[in-house]
Amino acid sequence: MQALKNKTIHIVSFNVPFPADYGGAIDIFYKIKSFHKAGIEVILHCYQYGRNEAPSLLNYCKEVHYYKRKMSPSLLLNTKPFIVASRKSEDLVKRLTQDNHPILLEGIHCCALMENPALKGRKFLVRNHNIEHDYYKHLASVEKSSFKKWYFKTESKKLLKYEKKIFPIASEILGISKKDTDYLQENYHKGVHVSAFHQFEEPSFCDTTESFAFYHGNLSVSENNLGAIYLVKEVFSKTNYPLVIAGNSPSKELIELCQGNSNVTIKANINSKEIMELLQKAHMNVLPTFQNTGIKLKLLAALFAGKHCLVNSPMVKGTGLEKLCVVNDDANEFSKAVNEFSQKPFSKEQFHQREKLLSNFKNNKGAEICVGLLN
């Protein structure tokens, strides 16, 4: 890794990134750990809502500061997106003006800082976790609540408008997938691909195998709930092969569907350790999604620590991981693939193929790119 000129960086996080138990938090937390390992001192600033302060972050950060996110309903009427307007703090601005270190903003959520005159001329890197206006547009399309549907549609329009205004100001934007990076380069003539940071140092091979397929995700998120429902209704209703679904806050519809299918088990609100044990033991991980944005941390987890990985196109398109997965977009073909791969052991040869390709997705690679951008 090249020598550092700037050995300190401010990271402004949209939430407290510990515990690292969902996509955005995982990327931020393991990025911080990787920076610490690379000799970069991190001054972390967290907008706080729904999560407690995390003293253990001081194991990897020089300083950690917390700011309450402003959740006033009146901000829904702001011209800025709600996820941006609700994240403002004069205390944060004052702290940032005390030095001239580079500033990494986690998501468009935190980008209002680039408009502040007190911070004019600073080096700003933006971590783009998603093409957010696409993400919110999709959330609107699958949402059943009238109010939430209105919110997601309105937020999507505001996010696109704000992105066009704010991204040109950034020194550089870190795209989380090749597809997202191509979008950034096409629209803003900037964008460096830095894949998601995660908890895996190396791919691992677990000899213990049990005969079941596994799906996991935060089931309170409509995208994940929809993926789980699709598996139960359209795929595993056509096979006797067992499916285990794990995640927080499953919907009533999903629970009832699982109860009506004898080969499907749902494990609600289990901890990260239990999820990882299931992921490693499963003969296959089944990961459909209907939103092709960013890169899914669950996909990287399945490839670094699991066995066969069956997905649909939106899960892998533009990630560079297509060759490591079995891809089917038709539910009948997906079901046939489940039956076919239930009879196939996951071989050491397949594992070694993964090792080669996943070398590009290791945290040290991402940290090295970021160090170059800090100089």
Side-chain angles (χ1 to χ4, degrees):
M1 190 174 287
Q2 61 183 289
L4 288 170
K5 294 177 185 175
N6 295 301
K7 291 192 176 182
T8 306
I9 184 172
H10 292 279
I11 295 182
V12 182
S13 177
F14 52 78
N15 203 347
V16 181
F18 190 85
D21 54 4
Y22 71 95
I26 291 169
D27 179 63
I28 298 168
F29 177 70
Y30 287 99
K31 187 186 301 118
I32 290 167
K33 283 190 72 173
S34 298
F35 284 4
H36 177 74
K37 189 175 180 180
I40 301 171
E41 291 187 330
V42 173
I43 302 173
L44 178 63
H45 307 269
C46 306
Y47 285 104
Q48 190 179 10
Y49 67 105
R51 296 191 135 206
N52 297 324
E53 294 185 6
S56 59
L57 287 169
L58 285 167
N59 292 330
Y60 310 103
C61 300
K62 181 181 179 182
E63 301 172 24
V64 181
H65 303 282
Y66 299 90
Y67 312 87
K68 292 292 182 185
R69 184 182 175 195
K70 298 168 184 173
M71 300 297 285
S72 169
S74 65
L75 294 175
L76 291 169
L77 304 177
N78 198 289
T79 55
K80 285 186 173 65
F82 181 78
I83 63 171
V84 177
S86 57
R87 290 177 172 88
K88 287 189 175 181
S89 168
E90 287 304 314
D91 288 341
L92 170 56
V93 173
K94 287 176 183 176
R95 285 198 175 100
L96 292 175
T97 56
Q98 290 172 6
D99 56 58
N100 199 39
H101 302 313
I103 302 167
L104 172 59
L105 303 174
E106 292 290 347
I108 197 171
H109 316 57
C110 305
C111 281
L113 287 165
M114 288 196 285
E115 299 178 276
N116 195 301
L119 299 169
K120 188 176 181 179
R122 293 291 285 274
K123 176 175 274 191
F124 281 105
L125 306 180
V126 177
R127 168 46 130 187
N128 199 57
H129 290 264
N130 274 310
I131 307 302
E132 294 292 350
H133 58 87
D134 279 348
Y135 180 63
Y136 275 77
K137 185 177 180 181
H138 175 78
L139 290 177
S141 73
V142 299
E143 182 55 61
K144 293 180 180 179
S145 159
S146 297
F147 173 74
K148 287 183 179 179
K149 187 179 283 287
W150 167 84
Y151 166 68
F152 289 139
K153 279 185 178 179
T154 305
E155 193 77 347
S156 175
K157 292 175 183 176
K158 289 181 181 180
L159 281 163
L160 177 57
K161 185 177 179 181
Y162 190 66
E163 177 191 287
K164 290 179 177 178
K165 175 185 177 183
I166 203 72
F167 276 9
I169 304 174
S171 306
E172 192 53 88
I173 310 172
L174 314 180
I176 206 164
S177 71
K178 181 67 167 60
K179 177 177 175 286
D180 286 8
T181 306
D182 289 344
Y183 167 87
L184 295 168
Q185 290 173 345
E186 182 180 344
N187 288 276
Y188 303 106
H189 309 293
K190 57 185 74 176
V192 175
H193 181 206
V194 179
S195 190
F197 290 80
H198 49 79
Q199 65 265 50
F200 306 100
E201 293 293 330
E202 298 285 344
S204 60
F205 187 84
C206 178
D207 290 327
T208 304
T209 303
E210 295 182 13
S211 295
F212 68 92
F214 185 56
Y215 176 85
H216 74 285
N218 181 352
L219 297 171
S220 68
V221 175
S222 56
E223 174 193 351
N224 296 328
N225 184 62
L226 193 64
I229 288 172
Y230 168 79
L231 285 172
V232 179
K233 287 178 70 173
E234 306 296 336
V235 178
F236 283 82
S237 61
K238 300 164 186 170
T239 176
N240 293 321
Y241 197 72
L243 169 66
V244 176
I245 296 170
N248 295 337
S249 307
S251 66
K252 183 180 178 183
E253 180 185 5
L254 177 58
I255 292 170
E256 290 176 352
L257 276 171
C258 293
Q259 289 172 342
N261 286 266
S262 59
N263 61 324
V264 180
T265 304
I266 188 163
K267 294 182 179 289
N269 305 313
I270 62 175
N271 62 43
S272 299
K273 183 181 178 182
E274 291 173 290
I275 286 175
M276 187 52 57
E277 287 174 354
L278 287 165
L279 185 151
Q280 291 174 319
K281 289 178 182 177
H283 187 67
M284 65 184 78
N285 281 269
V286 286
L287 296 172
T289 186
F290 300 97
Q291 181 153 354
N292 178 226
T293 58
I295 187 169
K296 312 299 184 195
L297 270 297
K298 67 178 77 174
L299 173 63
L300 286 176
L303 292 175
F304 268 86
K307 298 179 180 69
H308 296 301
C309 192
L310 279 58
V311 303
N312 62 354
S313 294
M315 178 58 77
V316 289
K317 187 177 180 181
T319 64
L321 295 167
E322 295 86 343
K323 292 179 180 178
L324 300 183
C325 302
V326 179
V327 185
N328 282 292
D329 292 319
D330 178 80
N332 290 326
E333 294 303 315
F334 205 126
S335 184
K336 288 177 184 177
V338 168
N339 287 331
E340 178 186 348
F341 280 85
S342 69
Q343 304 300 317
K344 291 184 177 181
F346 185 74
S347 68
K348 283 287 180 70
E349 288 74 22
Q350 287 172 283
F351 174 72
H352 293 317
Q353 183 188 2
R354 274 190 188 175
E355 279 187 306
K356 290 178 184 177
L357 192 53
L358 290 174
S359 63
N360 296 318
F361 292 83
K362 291 182 181 178
N363 292 339
N364 63 332
K365 292 278 187 182
E368 188 172 357
I369 295 169
C370 292
V371 167
L373 296 173
L374 294 179
N375 287 331

